Amino acid sequence: MSQPAHRRAENHRLDGLRHRRRTFGLALTIVATFGLLAGQLVRHGLAERPVVTMASARPITHGWARPDILDRRGRVLATDVARPSLFADPALIVDVDEVIAFLAPIFPTIEWRAMRDRLDNRARRFVWIARGLDADVAGRIAALGLPGLAFRDELQRRYPAGALTAHTVGHVDIDNDGKAAAEIFLQEVIGVDPADDARRSARPPVHLTLDLGVQHVVAGELSAAMAATGARAAAGLIMDARTGALLASVSLPSYDPHTPAKPRDASGSGAQSTHAAAPQAQRADGSVNRLALARYELGSVMKPLVIAAALDTGAVTPLARIDTRAALTRDDFTITDPPRVAGKLSLEDVFTRSSNVGAATLALNLGEEKLLAAFSRLGVTGRLLTELGRGPHARLPKPWRDVNTMTAGYGYGVATTPLQLAAATASLINGGHALQPHVVRTSSLPPPRRVLRPETSAELRRYFRANVARGTGVRARVPGYDVGGKTGTALRATAGGYDAERTITSFVGAFPMVAPRYVTLAVLFEPKRPLAADATGSADASTTAAPLTARIVRRAAPMLGIAPRRQRSDG
């Protein structure tokens, strides 16, 4: 039965009223909610703003941008390049063990137990893992896609000549901080710039006096001589006799300047060096610069200094004769010359026959005070400071007795560096002027200082030439190049005296002797066999260091612009 029409109308009216009430209530709720939100926003906007801190994984570094180092012909010896370094943000690492599992085979030298502790510390936001990577290694790591790992380009020092110039150019640490030789001089004297990115230095390049080609010749001949004679080490140089500039400066064995020591954390965070994946180990004694930073008793190469001092002070004249036939004794110590050497000798004979008695007699005639004053004036007993580093003080006997004056005459008891000996020899043959050895090209050298009379220097030049013409240095002769020089064979000093089985053989010379341009020095440490093909048995300086010098001069002289003189024909 259907409702009456008026009832249906009433119900329809009531439904509409209820719908309007619900709609109004919903609208009111929405308005109130948005009003509340707006009120909260206004309240927070008017309130004091809190300090917001953000953790950053940007590294704090103390690197350096360094100017290039070039040889005298403009060839690059050291330069900065941008290389990727790997770091981690521990807060973003998902699985530390997974990261280590992937990276350990790539970097086997990292101490991963300690590294794991650092990577597991989520409070840390930056940890170095490996620095100065090769591009292919960085690419392999990037391809892993491990969260929390990232790269940053840094400046890394590269040495194109490698071990060939390591002892002269030096090396830097992982932060590009100079640690040896010219790199320290560059850092402390010339200047470098702080760098927290991979922007290269805008400073002009630093030019060395070194000639890379001549350096290669000297190093190659020294290395070959070490192999042929069984020597443990070697050192050699070519120096401008007029300026002290080093054209070659070699100490062997050398080392790789990219990995000068076992890679370790330079910043305390376990970071590895450029080649952490495969560090190249250097020989234990490869870091020793025997030429400039180590001192030795060099033997008879010191005799020219004694002869020069005796002439210069007037203790003897060029016409003097020294009787070396009798033994010479001081403080219960006796020396004699072998019969082939002994005689009534001129100063030239003392030089060319390398008479110990003759040199000791001259030293005793000078006396301790004048002898040491001459050594000091010629620079062999002081401490030499060059761009290669600060050399050691000479070692002198204490107390000094008459026997020390005697033995110093033929090169025993006074330990000096080979570089000091070479510089002193330059003074003997360049007219009597003291030199400051140097490897950085500069205009601020001290003015020449006269230490010998020109007449003394001229006399010494004659002795040097005579020794190669017919004395102990005859195997240093190079046709067309007028080489002069002096041999020296010394027993190695030990704590208990001298070791007769271990010697240092050396030859200090110059060319061309008519007007000396270059001083040479070749030293072999503990050679066991002669280098000269015509020698039998003895591995002294005349059969090792003298022929080695000839080989060096024959190859290096043309590179230095010294053409051989035409030899006269006997026909």
Side-chain angles (χ1 to χ4, degrees):
M1 179 174 160
S2 61
Q3 291 181 331
H6 71 278
R7 174 61 65 182
R8 289 196 300 271
E10 180 64 20
N11 290 339
H12 182 71
R13 187 183 66 78
L14 292 175
D15 289 340
L17 181 60
R18 286 193 293 270
H19 179 72
R20 286 193 297 273
R21 288 175 177 172
R22 285 196 299 270
T23 301
F24 178 77
L26 179 60
L28 185 62
T29 301
I30 291 172
V31 170
T33 300
F34 276 98
L36 182 61
L37 290 174
Q40 290 293 334
L41 290 173
V42 171
R43 185 176 66 83
H44 283 292
L46 295 176
E48 182 180 354
R49 295 184 179 182
V51 177
V52 178
T53 59
M54 297 180 65
S56 172
R58 179 177 176 82
I60 300 174
T61 61
H62 303 284
W64 302 97
R66 311 175 68 84
D68 288 351
I69 297 178
L70 312 178
D71 84 338
R72 71 174 188 145
R73 300 185 189 275
R75 292 170 288 202
V76 177
L77 302 178
T79 189
D80 282 351
V81 298
R83 296 171 71 88
S85 292
L86 177 65
F87 67 91
D89 181 351
L92 301 180
I93 293 178
V94 176
D95 188 335
V96 172
D97 291 328
E98 178 188 39
V99 169
I100 294 176
F102 277 111
L103 296 184
I106 300 175
F107 304 111
T109 62
I110 291 180
E111 176 50 61
W112 285 106
R113 182 176 299 177
M115 180 65 75
R116 192 190 192 289
D117 292 339
R118 288 191 285 271
L119 296 180
D120 211 23
N121 183 357
R122 298 306 176 97
R124 301 183 71 161
R125 300 305 307 273
F126 178 83
V127 174
W128 278 124
I129 295 179
R131 299 173 68 180
L133 301 176
D134 292 329
D136 59 339
V137 175
R140 288 167 55 195
I141 297 169
L144 297 174
L146 296 172
L149 300 186
F151 295 93
R152 180 175 184 271
D153 284 343
E154 294 186 288
L155 291 176
Q156 294 283 309
R157 202 65 160 165
R158 307 305 297 163
Y159 300 94
L164 178 61
T165 58
H167 283 299
T168 305
V169 176
H171 62 270
V172 298
D173 64 12
I174 193 63
D175 292 313
N176 248 21
D177 192 11
K179 292 300 177 185
E183 289 284 26
I184 289 182
F185 182 84
L186 189 155
Q187 185 108 4
E188 296 180 350
V189 178
I190 297 176
V192 297
D193 301 302
D196 60 357
D197 54 28
R199 282 178 293 184
R200 288 169 48 84
S201 172
R203 293 176 182 264
V206 176
H207 288 263
L208 301 191
T209 62
L210 215 64
D211 186 306
L212 192 58
V214 178
Q215 179 86 354
H216 178 76
V217 166
V218 175
E221 292 297 344
L222 287 174
S223 180
M226 283 176 61
T229 64
R232 184 174 66 85
L237 61 77
I238 295 181
M239 175 194 293
D240 191 312
R242 302 161 300 178
T243 67
L246 288 166
L247 286 303
S249 172
V250 179
S251 176
L252 297 178
S254 188
Y255 67 96
D256 183 353
H258 301 108
T259 56
K262 181 180 178 181
R264 66 181 183 86
D265 181 3
S267 60
S269 62
Q272 300 296 298
S273 69
T274 301
H275 300 288
Q280 178 179 343
Q282 67 180 79
R283 286 180 55 170
D285 56 358
S287 61
V288 178
N289 185 342
R290 289 175 169 78
L291 191 65
L293 305 181
R295 61 191 182 186
Y296 307 97
E297 296 178 33
L298 294 170
S300 293
V301 286
M302 295 283 285
K303 288 175 181 174
L305 278 62
V306 177
I307 295 173
L311 281 170
D312 210 59
T313 59
V316 293
T317 70
L319 299 178
R321 290 276 173 172
I322 310 296
D323 191 349
T324 67
R325 292 170 295 183
L328 194 61
T329 301
R330 288 292 188 281
D331 299 332
D332 297 326
F333 184 81
T334 300
I335 63 168
T336 59
D337 278 339
R340 60 181 175 79
V341 172
K344 202 165 186 180
L345 307 180
S346 67
L347 293 185
E348 181 180 310
D349 292 334
V350 171
F351 193 110
T352 59
R353 297 188 190 185
S354 201
S355 168
N356 287 350
V357 173
T361 299
L362 292 174
L364 289 170
N365 287 345
L366 278 167
E368 172 190 345
E369 184 177 341
K370 289 183 178 180
L371 178 65
L372 290 179
F375 282 169
S376 176
R377 191 166 62 252
L378 292 168
V380 293
T381 55
R383 189 176 190 184
L384 183 61
L385 174 63
T386 69
E387 302 92 340
L388 300 175
R390 185 179 295 277
H393 288 288
R395 187 179 67 241
L396 302 175
K398 292 182 179 179
W400 186 285
R401 300 177 297 168
D402 279 354
V403 67
N404 303 122
T405 302
M406 183 172 71
T407 59
Y410 54 93
Y412 280 89
V414 176
T416 189
T417 68
L419 180 58
Q420 286 172 283
L421 184 277
T425 301
S427 299
L428 302 189
I429 53 94
N430 70 4
H433 295 100
L435 302 177
Q436 171 62 41
H438 61 281
V439 295
V440 175
R441 197 168 70 190
T442 177
S443 59
S444 60
L445 291 172
R449 178 172 55 89
R450 179 167 293 284
V451 291
L452 293 174
R453 294 182 294 114
E455 298 81 5
T456 301
S457 179
E459 191 72 10
L460 265 293
R461 285 198 297 272
R462 190 169 69 82
Y463 300 162
F464 273 92
R465 296 178 76 180
N467 193 45
V468 172
R470 58 182 177 274
T472 60
V474 69
R475 291 187 179 90
R477 189 162 45 196
V478 181
Y481 283 107
D482 193 20
V483 178
K486 181 69 185 76
T487 53
T489 303
L491 302 181
R492 290 296 300 264
T494 65
Y498 294 90
D499 187 340
E501 301 300 318
R502 301 166 62 203
T503 62
I504 300 175
T505 65
S506 51
F507 187 90
V508 60
F511 70 94
M513 287 306 303
V514 64
R517 291 279 305 280
Y518 299 103
V519 170
T520 68
L521 176 65
V523 186
L524 291 170
F525 295 85
E526 301 174 27
K528 299 174 178 61
R529 300 176 293 275
L531 180 63
D534 62 340
T536 56
S538 176
D540 60 20
S542 70
T543 63
T544 58
L548 170 56
T549 297
R551 296 181 182 188
I552 291 172
V553 172
R554 187 176 292 111
R555 293 179 59 193
M559 302 175 69
L560 294 169
I562 307 294
R565 291 184 295 106
R566 181 177 298 178
Q567 302 296 296
R568 289 186 304 173
S569 173
D570 293 335

